[in-house]
Amino acid sequence: MNMPPSPSGAEHTDGSSIRLGALVPLTRPGWVEAGRHLLAGLDLAVREVNDAGGIDGRPLELVVRDTAADPERAAAAVDELAHLGVAAVVGEYHSVVARAAAARADALGVPFLCSSAVLDALTEEPTEWVARLAPAQSYGWRIYADFLFHAGRRRIAVVTQPSVYWASGTRVLRDHLVPCGGTVFELDATLTPEALCDALVDHGATALLLLVGHPEPAVPIVRAVRGDRRLAEVLIGAPAGQPEFAGWAAALGEEGAGIPFLRYLPERLGPLGERVGKELRERLGEAPSFVAFEGWDTVAVLAAVLRSHGTDRAAIAESWPRVAVEGTRGPIQFSRTPGISVWQWAWTPLQVVDRDPAEPDRFRILHAG
């Protein structure tokens, strides 16, 4: 493997901690709720590893840096963490931020295990340094497109903000639905909610997908569409997962139910997932999202790698194809997947779900991948 020269990560023999850098959005404009769940999963797994004796007697230590959804801030954090001697970097939720972190980790020769970002092109060129637990966007959003097609939704409006992530998602939907007779058209998120509703009527839309941030402008858009009698039969969807978190339900109540989104969980958790889910619920004070499970699985993978391959950064990166770890959502292994530039878990269990209109705190599985 062609590896750039880099200092070894935390090769100590004095019982000092093994440091893992953690990139997490903890302040706005980052999705703070997602960051809190991701960090809860990471932290719980680290505590469990340490309670079980650590890595050959050495404790794991999370060195957390807040990315605030800022790619430049994330890249600078990778620089800082590499200088601090972390064995690897983990985490991140926002795709454009993870892409910046992955590029910097690749340049510096620091292993990066991405927990939750889905953008296919996480790096411009294939890299040995980066692995990912979340499914690629092209995989998950194709399954979402299948759901729309089977639900009889053919005229799809996407309200979108400028972002490589939203543009990529729109392209996946269009490439998958248009050959089947569907139509995908874009509406600018700068439209007023009232103008957006008029445009949906004019286009004869049967579905509106929210490719926008939460709470703004997603919440006022949902309220406007729900309140417009002309659009009573229009399905509102949010493939990126905005309705997963309790903040969505708190902001929208019953209006936020019945909005399908992608969720990276199996239909039923096994014993490990059930146990971890219970611990996460106690820690968070609410039901854990799939993002919290991604955090726990991230540390489980790296703990196994560190036990078997040590803390040398090159050795960690070389281990990705040999990973075989039981995660909360199933057995985790990495492979090379066509069109994906990083080592990829192919594939995470995936569902299209919504909040039950009759009971908004309960999720209904509508379609499985």
Side-chain angles (χ1 to χ4, degrees), residues 210 212-223 242 248 252:
L210 304 170
V212 294
H214 166 68
E216 298 290 338
V219 168
I221 290 173
V222 171
R223 286 181 177 145
Q242 295 95 321
W248 175 272
L252 281 163

Side-chain angles (χ1 to χ4, degrees), residues 3-347:
M3 296 281 191
S6 69
S8 174
E11 261 317 347
H12 302 298
T13 57
D14 58 359
S16 59
S17 63
I18 299 171
R19 290 178 157 189
L20 299 178
L23 304 178
V24 188
L26 294 175
T27 55
R28 300 285 299 165
W31 198 336
V32 174
E33 198 170 6
R36 187 170 71 90
H37 279 236
L38 178 56
L39 184 57
L42 293 167
D43 187 62
L44 174 63
V46 165
R47 289 177 182 272
E48 291 184 357
V49 168
N50 290 341
D51 288 346
I55 308 297
D56 296 329
R58 296 173 58 192
L60 284 181
E61 177 189 353
L62 275 185
V63 184
V64 179
R65 293 295 180 268
D66 173 22
T67 63
D70 184 336
E72 292 184 5
R73 185 164 170 172
V78 174
D79 278 343
E80 179 196 1
L81 292 165
H83 180 72
L84 290 173
V86 299
V89 174
V90 301
E92 195 44 46
Y93 177 80
H94 298 283
S95 281
V96 292
V97 179
R99 186 172 66 161
R104 198 67 193 128
D106 179 52
L108 294 173
V110 178
F112 175 36
L113 179 51
C114 181
S115 302
S116 198
V118 300
L119 195 67
D120 281 41
L122 206 54
T123 55
E124 292 295 328
E125 301 292 335
T127 176
E128 303 292 338
W129 292 98
V130 183
R132 172 168 56 191
L133 288 173
Q137 187 177 23
S138 59
Y139 174 75
W141 287 46
R142 277 200 305 268
I143 290 172
Y144 196 89
D146 285 339
F147 159 74
L148 292 172
F149 183 80
H150 291 302
R153 307 291 173 164
R154 300 289 191 272
R155 294 190 60 76
I156 312 299
V158 297
V159 55
T160 184
Q161 294 172 305
S163 162
V164 65
Y165 172 62
W166 299 128
S168 173
T170 302
R171 187 166 55 251
V172 172
L173 294 167
R174 184 173 283 124
D175 289 350
H176 203 62
L177 288 169
V178 170
C180 302
T183 302
V184 178
F185 53 93
E186 297 181 45
L187 300 174
D188 195 315
T190 60
L191 288 171
T192 66
E194 294 75 17
L196 180 68
C197 290
D198 290 341
L200 293 173
V201 173
D202 292 342
H203 283 88
T206 58
L208 169 66
L209 304 187
L210 304 170
L211 308 193
V212 294
H214 166 68
E216 298 290 338
V219 168
I221 290 173
V222 171
R223 286 181 177 145
V225 174
R226 291 291 199 220
D228 192 320
R229 294 182 188 176
R230 301 172 298 170
L231 303 173
E233 300 303 316
V234 171
L235 173 77
I236 305 175
Q242 295 95 321
E244 166 77 5
F245 297 96
W248 175 272
L252 281 163
E254 293 180 359
E255 289 182 316
I259 297 179
F261 63 94
L262 286 167
R263 192 184 207 203
Y264 308 135
L265 289 174
E267 187 171 349
R268 295 184 184 279
L269 292 167
L272 175 61
E274 289 283 359
R275 179 188 68 76
V276 171
K278 182 180 178 182
E279 296 281 348
L280 287 168
R281 179 183 286 273
E282 292 178 1
R283 181 173 287 244
L284 289 163
E286 62 189 24
S289 69
F290 67 83
V291 180
F293 288 99
E294 288 174 326
W296 195 96
D297 287 343
T298 299
V299 172
V301 167
L302 267 176
V305 167
L306 291 166
R307 289 188 184 104
S308 59
H309 293 85
T311 58
D312 177 76
R313 288 173 179 167
I316 292 171
E318 288 168 353
S319 75
W320 298 136
R322 293 187 286 278
V323 165
V325 173
E326 187 62 31
T328 57
R329 298 162 297 150
I332 297 171
Q333 294 181 294
F334 298 114
S335 59
R336 285 299 191 188
T337 303
I340 309 300
S341 59
V342 302
W343 288 100
Q344 176 71 52
W345 179 17
W347 293 102

